[in-house]
Amino acid sequence: MAAKKLYIKTYGCQMNVYDSQRMADTLAPLGYQEINSPDGADLILLNTCHIREKASEKVFSELGRLRQLQEAARAEGRRLLIGVAGCVAQAEGEEIVRRAPQVDLVVGPQTYHRLPDLVTRALQGEEARRLVDTEFPPESKFDFLPEESRSAGAAAFLSVQEGCDKFCSFCVVPYTRGAEVSRPVANILAEAERLVQGGALEITLLGQNVNAYHGEGPDGREWGLGRLLGRLAEIDGLERLRYTTSHPRDVDEELIAAHRDLDKLMPYLHLPVQSGSDRILAAMNRKHDSAFYLRVIEKLRAAQPELALSSDFIVGFPGESDQDFAATLRLVTEVGYAQAYSFKYSPRPGTPAATAADAVPEEVKSERLAMLQQLLGEQQYAFNRGAVGKRMPVLLERKAKRPGQLAGRSPWMQAVVVEAPQGLLGHLLEVEILEAHPNSLVGRLVGLPEEEMVAPRMRTTA
Ligand code: SAM
Ligand code: SF4
């Protein structure tokens, strides 16, 4: 029998990218093979993001387009199932099938290990409103997910922690992803070993609040993220470790020491601050002020002087004055970021900030965002220019836009493009940086590839 075709469209964060891969793993035993486009699919899953209003709305416009595809399939005598997963699924639940009757099933981020059952029941004709599973189950999905069905590539993601107990007043994550949960160390190690066997040279540990990690260690005690990174760094063949996203309150001494001691831990940290104004940070319920954030950065830089920093910023949070925004610009100037993400505040239903009275007008938000992005862009470009003439290892993880070129990441997360044959995809190679652009670097391979490269495991054992 021909394999059934599965197309997953992923929105939002890296955790969703990881979840989508795991959703494909759960469906592989039912005969579903993943394809890269919705055409000809038997099952389409939208793995959605609810973090800002725009992200949520995209899902409903996509469902409109998929309805036509579903009707075309029906006209050909095929059945196309449509499922909605992820944080919009969690937040909207049954409302999705009411608003979009073409949807056959809805599954939240903590229940997707039950996808095979939902899909089977949908195929048997069960009504969509009975196939809405947005529970926060007592069991962990990780205990039920099958092993990975294919290689995750040279740069792989691994979820170690989920959910959030911080309740920043603007954020839906604690409601859509649930309470903080950490996977046991043994579980993570086994998955990391398999990823390395499958060709991964770099692993990024994921969590909504990854440095709040406190999983059970092999000694029965709770391990923090620093200790976990130390253990993972012992895996032969694993060359690079990263982790994201961190909260300033959870940067402990062990994690700082990991940045000092572990060569495999890349000198790059995404540490969101959101605002430079203490008044706004308090209103956001961030549980830290700007001085605390700056002290954490000072300690990290003392431990790893090469550390490059990134952050998230929200402009136009309710009540943000010109002075508050000026404090954000001052903080950015003081820290000096290698890159950063910035957003206009978007009120999210059900969060405390959504009912705040003193909303910032849209045009003021836009103006502030443009100013902040101008400053962050200048910093990023300056950081990139500082790389010109240097040599650095680059993990070539994907094809670049132009034929004959591959793209990868520097240790500091910069995108680097080089002329290279496709056979070098998945290799960690020495590159000399020739040019800097605002968002990327251009380099050339140095040394003889065969001798200087760290080859993917698959290839050396083949
Ligand atoms: N856990 C991380 C942290 O503590 O910063 C970030 C999680 S969230 C998925 C990613 C980013 O989305 C946040 O850092 C924040 O800047 C942004 N974000 C979250 N809620 C938002 C909202 N209501 N409006 C605009 N941006 C938002
Ligand atoms: Fe959201 Fe991050 Fe705050 Fe948690 S710590 S509520 S995920 S912004």
Side-chain angles (χ1 to χ4, degrees):
M1 202 186 86
K4 287 177 272 183
K5 293 182 192 137
L6 164 68
Y7 174 66
I8 307 183
K9 182 160 183 172
T10 308
Y11 300 80
C13 64
Q14 289 154 326
M15 192 156 259
N16 266 11
V17 175
Y18 173 86
D19 286 341
S20 292
Q21 289 168 350
R22 303 314 312 269
M23 286 177 201
D25 295 336
T26 67
L27 292 166
L30 290 192
Y32 283 96
Q33 269 178 18
E34 221 182 331
I35 52 172
N36 296 328
S37 107
D39 301 324
D42 300 292
L43 168 59
I44 296 180
L45 291 176
L46 302 184
N47 191 10
T48 61
C49 172
H50 196 56
I51 201 81
R52 282 168 291 276
E53 193 181 353
K54 256 194 200 153
S56 279
E57 279 309 312
K58 271 190 203 158
V59 175
F60 286 99
S61 32
E62 182 66 18
L63 284 172
R65 284 191 287 274
L66 290 184
R67 176 176 213 154
Q68 293 168 6
L69 213 60
Q70 197 178 43
E71 279 162 12
R74 195 172 297 132
E76 290 168 13
R78 287 190 304 115
R79 172 119 193 247
L80 164 58
L81 288 185
I82 296 175
V84 178
C87 290
V88 175
Q90 190 66 45
E92 307 265 345
E94 239 185 279
E95 183 58 25
I96 297 179
V97 281
R98 257 196 297 273
R99 212 173 137 183
Q102 65 273 40
V103 171
D104 296 287
L105 60 99
V106 174
V107 68
Q110 303 311 343
T111 44
Y112 64 74
H113 55 295
R114 299 179 184 159
L115 262 172
D117 174 57
L118 293 172
V119 168
T120 307
R121 285 161 55 199
L123 286 171
Q124 286 163 352
E126 201 163 324
E127 275 180 83
R129 69 183 175 79
R130 292 171 48 83
L131 299 176
V132 175
D133 190 345
T134 53
E135 221 197 314
F136 286 114
E139 79 269 11
S140 160
K141 66 183 175 230
F142 293 107
D143 294 336
F144 295 87
L145 294 175
E147 287 188 7
E148 307 71 37
S149 56
R150 51 162 161 54
S151 158
F157 293 131
L158 201 175
S159 272
V160 300
Q161 179 280 336
E162 281 220 58
C164 183
D165 295 342
K166 293 280 188 297
F167 290 92
C168 298
S169 63
F170 52 82
C171 184
V172 289
V173 168
Y175 312 97
T176 57
R177 289 272 173 172
E180 253 174 32
V181 182
S182 297
R183 292 173 72 183
V185 172
N187 219 293
I188 294 165
L189 279 177
E191 189 168 330
E193 303 262 9
R194 285 197 301 272
L195 289 171
V196 173
Q197 295 286 319
L201 293 174
E202 172 179 301
I203 294 182
T204 302
L205 306 184
L206 298 180
Q208 257 82 34
N209 219 323
V210 71
N211 58 335
Y213 177 81
H214 57 274
E216 189 192 332
D219 53 3
R221 300 214 183 133
E222 265 191 9
W223 283 27
L225 186 67
R227 195 144 176 218
L228 175 68
L229 285 163
R231 178 64 191 83
L232 287 165
E234 290 170 12
I235 297 179
D236 265 351
L238 180 61
E239 301 295 330
R240 288 177 156 194
L241 281 164
R242 302 183 187 275
Y243 61 92
T244 197
T245 296
S246 299
H247 192 285
R249 286 293 302 229
D250 295 320
V251 177
D252 64 11
E253 296 303 323
E254 234 176 349
L255 188 56
I256 294 173
H259 278 282
R260 184 191 60 215
D261 301 335
L262 303 177
D263 292 343
K264 291 184 182 181
L265 183 56
M266 292 295 101
Y268 170 86
L269 179 60
H270 182 61
L271 192 64
V273 63
Q274 313 298 351
S275 167
S277 153
D278 291 340
R279 210 174 64 81
I280 295 298
L281 286 171
M284 286 177 163
N285 191 31
R286 284 291 291 180
K287 303 184 177 79
H288 63 79
D289 57 16
S290 56
F292 181 90
Y293 179 79
L294 292 170
R295 258 196 322 276
V296 170
I297 287 185
E298 206 179 290
K299 286 193 209 168
L300 284 159
R301 281 183 164 154
Q304 171 47 283
E306 291 205 353
L307 192 74
L309 284 150
S310 152
S311 178
D312 290 340
F313 295 92
I314 295 178
V315 299
F317 185 80
E320 186 189 64
S321 66
D322 286 341
Q323 287 81 351
D324 293 318
F325 178 61
T328 299
L329 295 179
R330 274 200 306 278
L331 180 132
V332 171
T333 306
E334 186 161 351
V335 174
Y337 289 98
Q339 65 169 74
Y341 304 87
S342 43
F343 314 98
K344 286 193 231 175
Y345 169 70
S346 164
R348 305 310 292 128
T351 60
T355 47
D358 37 5
V360 173
E362 202 47 38
E363 59 280 10
V364 177
K365 284 189 198 172
S366 300
E367 255 173 50
R368 289 182 186 164
L369 187 67
M371 276 170 79
L372 177 61
Q373 290 187 339
Q374 166 83 20
L375 177 60
L376 290 167
E378 283 165 13
Q379 291 191 343
Q380 181 171 352
Y381 196 13
F383 182 73
N384 285 350
R385 283 197 305 268
V388 175
K390 291 191 179 147
R391 287 182 173 201
M392 56 188 71
V394 173
L395 179 55
L396 298 174
E397 52 189 80
R398 62 194 154 82
K399 288 184 208 163
K401 276 190 203 126
R402 288 221 203 112
Q405 293 188 331
L406 296 178
R409 296 268 168 201
S410 77
W412 300 275
M413 274 306 267
Q414 295 145 296
V416 184
V417 177
V418 292
E419 301 279 333
Q422 282 203 21
L424 292 183
L425 203 60
H427 289 66
L428 183 59
L429 295 171
E430 195 71 5
V431 169
E432 182 186 335
I433 303 303
L434 304 173
E435 272 174 47
H437 296 277
N439 298 310
S440 64
L441 301 173
V442 177
R444 70 174 185 93
L445 295 177
V446 287
L448 282 175
E450 280 309 314
E451 281 142 32
E452 300 227 347
M453 67 197 174
V454 177
R457 241 95 317 269
M458 293 289 273
R459 251 170 251 216
T460 46
T461 53

